[in-house]
Amino acid sequence: MPPLPREAPAGPTAGTRRERDGHESLRERVADSRWRRRIAARRSIDHAYRMGVGIVGGLVVAVGLATIPLPGPGWLTVIAGLFVLATEFMWAERLLEFTRRHVRAWTDWVGRQPVWVRLGIGVLTAAFVYGVLVVTLHLTGVPDWVPGWVPLWR
């Protein structure tokens, strides 16, 4: 019995990105690489590889989410984890594209604002980060390597 033909997905996301707009997605570029085709040729290795990518990407996203309220690259870490996941999973690629559009819209909006609004956003961001740092150090304790003259709780 011959295999049944697969139906093409309907709607605006039908087909590959290359077919829709002439550009390849990250996932398509990785899938077209020689090393990835060799892995995909063996189903058991391909499944283990995809699970590994999912675990590593998920861990990077989880670390990023945990560090968002702390000073440091929390959002950058989340985006890096999504980038890892987007090499294999369409949902992560769509989420990464959604994030890219919204970050670009925010950046464009801030760029159109007067200087005093941009400075205000910068000051509020710095105050928030400083507040989170002080509360974190208060809850966890100030490390011993911090000099005694630093005005934080001991």
mmCIF file of all heavy atoms in Angstrom, residues 3 7-8 29 31-32 34 46-48 53 56 62 65 67 78-79 84 88 90 102 106 113 117-118 125 128-129 143:
data_model
loop_
_atom_site.group_PDB
_atom_site.id
_atom_site.type_symbol
_atom_site.label_atom_id
_atom_site.label_comp_id
_atom_site.label_asym_id
_atom_site.label_seq_id
_atom_site.Cartn_x
_atom_site.Cartn_y
_atom_site.Cartn_z
ATOM 1 N N PRO A 3 2.269 5.023 0.557
ATOM 2 C CA PRO A 3 2.016 5.976 1.641
ATOM 3 C C PRO A 3 1.077 7.083 1.175
ATOM 4 O O PRO A 3 1.061 7.462 0.008
ATOM 5 C CB PRO A 3 3.399 6.532 1.980
ATOM 6 C CG PRO A 3 4.229 6.283 0.769
ATOM 7 C CD PRO A 3 3.645 5.061 0.107
ATOM 8 N N GLU A 7 -0.535 16.366 3.531
ATOM 9 C CA GLU A 7 -1.174 17.622 3.150
ATOM 10 C C GLU A 7 -0.291 18.787 3.532
ATOM 11 O O GLU A 7 0.348 18.784 4.575
ATOM 12 C CB GLU A 7 -2.526 17.756 3.861
ATOM 13 C CG GLU A 7 -3.556 16.784 3.365
ATOM 14 C CD GLU A 7 -4.895 17.046 4.019
ATOM 15 O OE1 GLU A 7 -5.175 18.210 4.351
ATOM 16 O OE2 GLU A 7 -5.635 16.091 4.200
ATOM 17 N N ALA A 8 -0.256 19.772 2.683
ATOM 18 C CA ALA A 8 0.503 20.987 2.982
ATOM 19 C C ALA A 8 -0.287 21.796 3.996
ATOM 20 O O ALA A 8 -1.512 21.870 3.926
ATOM 21 C CB ALA A 8 0.717 21.811 1.714
ATOM 22 N N ARG A 29 18.452 26.590 7.698
ATOM 23 C CA ARG A 29 19.888 26.644 7.393
ATOM 24 C C ARG A 29 20.640 25.545 8.124
ATOM 25 O O ARG A 29 21.538 24.928 7.556
ATOM 26 C CB ARG A 29 20.460 28.008 7.757
ATOM 27 C CG ARG A 29 20.128 29.061 6.715
ATOM 28 C CD ARG A 29 20.761 30.342 7.069
ATOM 29 N NE ARG A 29 20.111 30.805 8.307
ATOM 30 C CZ ARG A 29 20.207 32.008 8.800
ATOM 31 N NH1 ARG A 29 20.948 32.905 8.219
ATOM 32 N NH2 ARG A 29 19.568 32.357 9.889
ATOM 33 N N ALA A 31 19.326 22.686 9.162
ATOM 34 C CA ALA A 31 18.898 21.403 8.583
ATOM 35 C C ALA A 31 19.564 21.130 7.239
ATOM 36 O O ALA A 31 19.775 19.977 6.878
ATOM 37 C CB ALA A 31 17.379 21.382 8.430
ATOM 38 N N ASP A 32 19.915 22.188 6.502
ATOM 39 C CA ASP A 32 20.556 22.019 5.194
ATOM 40 C C ASP A 32 22.052 21.760 5.290
ATOM 41 O O ASP A 32 22.680 21.433 4.291
ATOM 42 C CB ASP A 32 20.328 23.258 4.319
ATOM 43 C CG ASP A 32 18.901 23.327 3.801
ATOM 44 O OD1 ASP A 32 18.197 22.306 3.854
ATOM 45 O OD2 ASP A 32 18.496 24.412 3.345
ATOM 46 N N ARG A 34 25.609 19.938 6.052
ATOM 47 C CA ARG A 34 26.011 18.555 5.823
ATOM 48 C C ARG A 34 26.015 17.746 7.113
ATOM 49 O O ARG A 34 25.519 16.618 7.151
ATOM 50 C CB ARG A 34 27.396 18.524 5.179
ATOM 51 C CG ARG A 34 27.750 17.166 4.632
ATOM 52 C CD ARG A 34 29.043 17.206 3.874
ATOM 53 N NE ARG A 34 30.004 16.463 4.671
ATOM 54 C CZ ARG A 34 31.299 16.647 4.657
ATOM 55 N NH1 ARG A 34 31.819 17.568 3.897
ATOM 56 N NH2 ARG A 34 32.098 15.915 5.391
ATOM 57 N N ASP A 46 19.233 11.128 15.586
ATOM 58 C CA ASP A 46 18.517 12.392 15.383
ATOM 59 C C ASP A 46 17.617 12.702 16.579
ATOM 60 O O ASP A 46 17.566 13.829 17.055
ATOM 61 C CB ASP A 46 17.688 12.323 14.101
ATOM 62 C CG ASP A 46 17.040 13.645 13.756
ATOM 63 O OD1 ASP A 46 17.733 14.680 13.821
ATOM 64 O OD2 ASP A 46 15.841 13.651 13.428
ATOM 65 N N HIS A 47 16.927 11.688 17.073
ATOM 66 C CA HIS A 47 16.050 11.885 18.233
ATOM 67 C C HIS A 47 16.858 12.296 19.461
ATOM 68 O O HIS A 47 16.480 13.225 20.185
ATOM 69 C CB HIS A 47 15.258 10.606 18.499
ATOM 70 C CG HIS A 47 14.252 10.731 19.584
ATOM 71 N ND1 HIS A 47 13.129 11.517 19.464
ATOM 72 C CD2 HIS A 47 14.213 10.194 20.833
ATOM 73 C CE1 HIS A 47 12.448 11.458 20.595
ATOM 74 N NE2 HIS A 47 13.088 10.659 21.444
ATOM 75 N N ALA A 48 17.986 11.627 19.690
ATOM 76 C CA ALA A 48 18.844 11.972 20.830
ATOM 77 C C ALA A 48 19.406 13.383 20.668
ATOM 78 O O ALA A 48 19.488 14.142 21.645
ATOM 79 C CB ALA A 48 19.969 10.955 20.959
ATOM 80 N N VAL A 53 19.459 19.096 22.268
ATOM 81 C CA VAL A 53 19.261 20.523 21.967
ATOM 82 C C VAL A 53 18.146 21.086 22.835
ATOM 83 O O VAL A 53 18.263 22.182 23.386
ATOM 84 C CB VAL A 53 18.954 20.739 20.465
ATOM 85 C CG1 VAL A 53 18.473 22.150 20.200
ATOM 86 C CG2 VAL A 53 20.185 20.449 19.626
ATOM 87 N N VAL A 56 19.563 21.360 26.537
ATOM 88 C CA VAL A 56 20.541 22.455 26.677
ATOM 89 C C VAL A 56 19.861 23.804 26.514
ATOM 90 O O VAL A 56 20.047 24.717 27.328
ATOM 91 C CB VAL A 56 21.697 22.287 25.662
ATOM 92 C CG1 VAL A 56 22.573 23.527 25.612
ATOM 93 C CG2 VAL A 56 22.531 21.071 26.011
ATOM 94 N N ALA A 62 16.077 28.607 31.242
ATOM 95 C CA ALA A 62 15.736 28.584 32.673
ATOM 96 C C ALA A 62 16.715 29.426 33.484
ATOM 97 O O ALA A 62 16.300 30.193 34.371
ATOM 98 C CB ALA A 62 15.722 27.142 33.187
ATOM 99 N N LEU A 65 15.863 33.034 32.784
ATOM 100 C CA LEU A 65 14.664 33.466 33.495
ATOM 101 C C LEU A 65 14.938 33.672 34.980
ATOM 102 O O LEU A 65 14.408 34.605 35.596
ATOM 103 C CB LEU A 65 13.538 32.448 33.303
ATOM 104 C CG LEU A 65 12.915 32.395 31.915
ATOM 105 C CD1 LEU A 65 11.944 31.226 31.811
ATOM 106 C CD2 LEU A 65 12.237 33.697 31.571
ATOM 107 N N THR A 67 17.735 34.618 36.258
ATOM 108 C CA THR A 67 18.620 35.765 36.470
ATOM 109 C C THR A 67 18.053 37.081 35.960
ATOM 110 O O THR A 67 18.729 38.104 36.066
ATOM 111 C CB THR A 67 19.994 35.517 35.816
ATOM 112 O OG1 THR A 67 19.816 35.309 34.414
ATOM 113 C CG2 THR A 67 20.704 34.338 36.429
ATOM 114 N N VAL A 78 18.209 34.458 28.092
ATOM 115 C CA VAL A 78 16.954 33.865 27.600
ATOM 116 C C VAL A 78 16.956 33.830 26.070
ATOM 117 O O VAL A 78 16.609 32.814 25.458
ATOM 118 C CB VAL A 78 15.732 34.652 28.123
ATOM 119 C CG1 VAL A 78 14.456 34.190 27.439
ATOM 120 C CG2 VAL A 78 15.602 34.497 29.627
ATOM 121 N N ILE A 79 17.364 34.929 25.450
ATOM 122 C CA ILE A 79 17.394 34.995 23.982
ATOM 123 C C ILE A 79 18.414 34.013 23.421
ATOM 124 O O ILE A 79 18.164 33.364 22.395
ATOM 125 C CB ILE A 79 17.654 36.439 23.523
ATOM 126 C CG1 ILE A 79 16.421 37.293 23.862
ATOM 127 C CG2 ILE A 79 17.970 36.509 22.037
ATOM 128 C CD1 ILE A 79 16.617 38.778 23.679
ATOM 129 N N VAL A 84 19.336 28.731 20.639
ATOM 130 C CA VAL A 84 19.715 27.313 20.608
ATOM 131 C C VAL A 84 18.498 26.464 20.252
ATOM 132 O O VAL A 84 18.571 25.586 19.389
ATOM 133 C CB VAL A 84 20.315 26.880 21.968
ATOM 134 C CG1 VAL A 84 20.478 25.371 22.038
ATOM 135 C CG2 VAL A 84 21.648 27.572 22.213
ATOM 136 N N GLU A 88 16.325 23.869 16.106
ATOM 137 C CA GLU A 88 15.628 22.597 15.902
ATOM 138 C C GLU A 88 14.115 22.677 15.985
ATOM 139 O O GLU A 88 13.442 21.805 15.464
ATOM 140 C CB GLU A 88 16.105 21.561 16.929
ATOM 141 C CG GLU A 88 17.473 21.029 16.657
ATOM 142 C CD GLU A 88 17.567 20.294 15.334
ATOM 143 O OE1 GLU A 88 16.680 19.476 15.029
ATOM 144 O OE2 GLU A 88 18.525 20.551 14.602
ATOM 145 N N MET A 90 10.422 24.732 15.588
ATOM 146 C CA MET A 90 9.714 25.827 14.926
ATOM 147 C C MET A 90 9.087 26.782 15.940
ATOM 148 O O MET A 90 9.092 27.993 15.738
ATOM 149 C CB MET A 90 8.644 25.258 13.989
ATOM 150 C CG MET A 90 7.863 26.321 13.256
ATOM 151 S SD MET A 90 8.890 27.324 12.180
ATOM 152 C CE MET A 90 8.615 26.488 10.675
ATOM 153 N N HIS A 102 9.415 42.762 18.781
ATOM 154 C CA HIS A 102 9.048 43.632 19.898
ATOM 155 C C HIS A 102 10.236 44.423 20.439
ATOM 156 O O HIS A 102 10.073 45.572 20.840
ATOM 157 C CB HIS A 102 8.355 42.823 20.994
ATOM 158 C CG HIS A 102 6.936 42.528 20.646
ATOM 159 N ND1 HIS A 102 6.578 41.558 19.745
ATOM 160 C CD2 HIS A 102 5.798 43.122 21.038
ATOM 161 C CE1 HIS A 102 5.273 41.543 19.617
ATOM 162 N NE2 HIS A 102 4.764 42.483 20.394
ATOM 163 N N TRP A 106 10.344 48.453 20.488
ATOM 164 C CA TRP A 106 10.684 49.201 21.698
ATOM 165 C C TRP A 106 11.867 50.137 21.426
ATOM 166 O O TRP A 106 11.851 51.302 21.801
ATOM 167 C CB TRP A 106 11.006 48.239 22.837
ATOM 168 C CG TRP A 106 11.671 48.891 24.006
ATOM 169 C CD1 TRP A 106 12.981 48.811 24.344
ATOM 170 C CD2 TRP A 106 11.065 49.737 24.980
ATOM 171 N NE1 TRP A 106 13.233 49.546 25.463
ATOM 172 C CE2 TRP A 106 12.068 50.126 25.880
ATOM 173 C CE3 TRP A 106 9.777 50.208 25.181
ATOM 174 C CZ2 TRP A 106 11.819 50.955 26.964
ATOM 175 C CZ3 TRP A 106 9.525 51.032 26.263
ATOM 176 C CH2 TRP A 106 10.541 51.394 27.138
ATOM 177 N N GLN A 113 11.735 59.237 21.141
ATOM 178 C CA GLN A 113 11.367 60.059 22.291
ATOM 179 C C GLN A 113 12.383 61.176 22.501
ATOM 180 O O GLN A 113 13.531 61.072 22.092
ATOM 181 C CB GLN A 113 11.278 59.195 23.552
ATOM 182 C CG GLN A 113 10.270 58.086 23.460
ATOM 183 C CD GLN A 113 8.899 58.563 23.017
ATOM 184 O OE1 GLN A 113 8.337 59.484 23.590
ATOM 185 N NE2 GLN A 113 8.383 57.947 21.960
ATOM 186 N N VAL A 117 13.057 61.951 28.083
ATOM 187 C CA VAL A 117 12.352 60.673 28.283
ATOM 188 C C VAL A 117 13.361 59.529 28.274
ATOM 189 O O VAL A 117 13.305 58.626 29.120
ATOM 190 C CB VAL A 117 11.265 60.463 27.208
ATOM 191 C CG1 VAL A 117 10.675 59.068 27.293
ATOM 192 C CG2 VAL A 117 10.181 61.511 27.327
ATOM 193 N N ARG A 118 14.316 59.573 27.346
ATOM 194 C CA ARG A 118 15.340 58.530 27.283
ATOM 195 C C ARG A 118 16.197 58.522 28.544
ATOM 196 O O ARG A 118 16.514 57.462 29.075
ATOM 197 C CB ARG A 118 16.214 58.701 26.041
ATOM 198 C CG ARG A 118 15.465 58.301 24.768
ATOM 199 C CD ARG A 118 16.335 58.378 23.569
ATOM 200 N NE ARG A 118 16.196 59.747 23.040
ATOM 201 C CZ ARG A 118 17.005 60.296 22.185
ATOM 202 N NH1 ARG A 118 18.051 59.647 21.740
ATOM 203 N NH2 ARG A 118 16.791 61.513 21.759
ATOM 204 N N THR A 125 15.755 52.566 35.018
ATOM 205 C CA THR A 125 16.346 51.237 34.854
ATOM 206 C C THR A 125 17.516 51.047 35.815
ATOM 207 O O THR A 125 17.625 50.006 36.480
ATOM 208 C CB THR A 125 16.804 51.032 33.397
ATOM 209 O OG1 THR A 125 15.683 51.186 32.533
ATOM 210 C CG2 THR A 125 17.434 49.662 33.194
ATOM 211 N N PHE A 128 16.211 50.639 39.342
ATOM 212 C CA PHE A 128 15.641 49.306 39.531
ATOM 213 C C PHE A 128 16.735 48.264 39.726
ATOM 214 O O PHE A 128 16.666 47.434 40.643
ATOM 215 C CB PHE A 128 14.746 48.937 38.345
ATOM 216 C CG PHE A 128 14.194 47.550 38.429
ATOM 217 C CD1 PHE A 128 13.151 47.254 39.288
ATOM 218 C CD2 PHE A 128 14.729 46.525 37.655
ATOM 219 C CE1 PHE A 128 12.650 45.970 39.382
ATOM 220 C CE2 PHE A 128 14.235 45.237 37.745
ATOM 221 C CZ PHE A 128 13.189 44.957 38.612
ATOM 222 N N VAL A 129 17.753 48.297 38.879
ATOM 223 C CA VAL A 129 18.849 47.331 38.986
ATOM 224 C C VAL A 129 19.571 47.501 40.325
ATOM 225 O O VAL A 129 19.890 46.524 40.999
ATOM 226 C CB VAL A 129 19.825 47.480 37.795
ATOM 227 C CG1 VAL A 129 21.101 46.678 38.023
ATOM 228 C CG2 VAL A 129 19.151 47.038 36.505
ATOM 229 N N PRO A 143 29.053 39.311 50.303
ATOM 230 C CA PRO A 143 30.220 38.413 50.278
ATOM 231 C C PRO A 143 31.403 39.024 51.034
ATOM 232 O O PRO A 143 31.534 40.240 51.149
ATOM 233 C CB PRO A 143 30.552 38.279 48.784
ATOM 234 C CG PRO A 143 29.370 38.800 48.052
ATOM 235 C CD PRO A 143 28.636 39.703 48.966
#
